[in-house]
């Protein structure tokens, strides 16, 4: 049986109140694949990533992670599954090194278990 896609989005629609921000987005990402989301300001890149990370819930459609539905989960629940956003130059700890900032993000029990292995790879 083939392995489940790392990320699958099927016909997601995301709204900010009555404003329809994302229309019918579908996307599949295979394990190990690198994907870039590009577009002009206001095109929906951050909205898409916030929906994947659980900071926004799609009104319709399904987002799955390795075959498990994650659309509608709260952000802390997606973090526990290994999905998180890394902000661009904001909301990080400016006095810490890059490594120290990354270690701050490994606070879930699953991430803590893998710290040593991750540091040595």
């Amino acid at each position: 049986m083939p392995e489940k896609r790392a990320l699958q989005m099927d016909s997601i629609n995301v709204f900010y109140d009555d404003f329809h921000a994302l229309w019918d987005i579908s996307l599949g990402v295979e394990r190990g694949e690198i994907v870039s989301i590009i577009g002009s300001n206001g095109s929906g890149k951050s909205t898409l990533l916030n929906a994947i990370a659980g900071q926004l819930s799609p009104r319709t459609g399904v987002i799955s992670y390795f075959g498990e539905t994650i659309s509608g989960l709260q952000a802390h629940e997606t973090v526990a599954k290994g999905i998180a956003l890394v902000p661009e130059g904001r909301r990080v700890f400016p006095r810490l090194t890059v490594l120290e900032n990354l270690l701050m993000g490994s606070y879930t029990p699953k991430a803590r278990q893998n710290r040593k292995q991750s540091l040595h790879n």
Side-chain angles (χ1 to χ4, degrees):
M1 185 165 113
E3 189 174 314
K4 303 279 185 191
R5 282 192 164 147
L7 181 68
Q8 179 68 44
M9 292 181 284
D10 295 309
S11 301
I12 66 165
N13 287 277
V14 178
F15 290 75
Y16 292 99
D17 295 321
D18 291 333
F19 177 73
H20 196 168
L22 294 180
W23 295 269
D24 203 30
I25 302 295
S26 295
L27 172 72
V29 179
E30 303 295 335
R31 179 188 287 273
E33 187 174 21
I34 297 172
V35 175
S36 295
I37 307 296
I38 59 173
S40 60
N41 289 346
S43 64
K45 303 177 300 292
S46 294
T47 300
L48 177 66
L49 293 174
N50 284 326
I52 294 167
Q55 294 180 4
L56 294 171
S57 289
R59 191 172 292 177
T60 62
V62 175
I63 302 172
S64 58
Y65 182 62
F66 291 106
E68 181 181 351
T69 299
I70 61 168
S71 43
L73 294 181
Q74 294 181 352
H76 72 276
E77 295 171 308
T78 60
V79 166
K81 295 186 179 307
I83 300 170
L85 293 179
V86 178
E88 177 192 339
R90 298 172 276 192
R91 295 179 279 202
V92 293
F93 303 100
R95 291 188 173 91
L96 300 182
T97 67
V98 171
L99 177 59
E100 290 167 334
N101 269 278
L102 292 171
L103 289 172
M104 291 295 293
S106 63
Y107 63 90
T108 63
K110 182 178 178 183
R112 280 194 308 265
Q113 289 174 3
N114 296 318
R115 272 185 183 176
K116 277 188 178 179
Q117 178 185 353
S118 296
L119 290 172
H120 296 290
N121 286 336

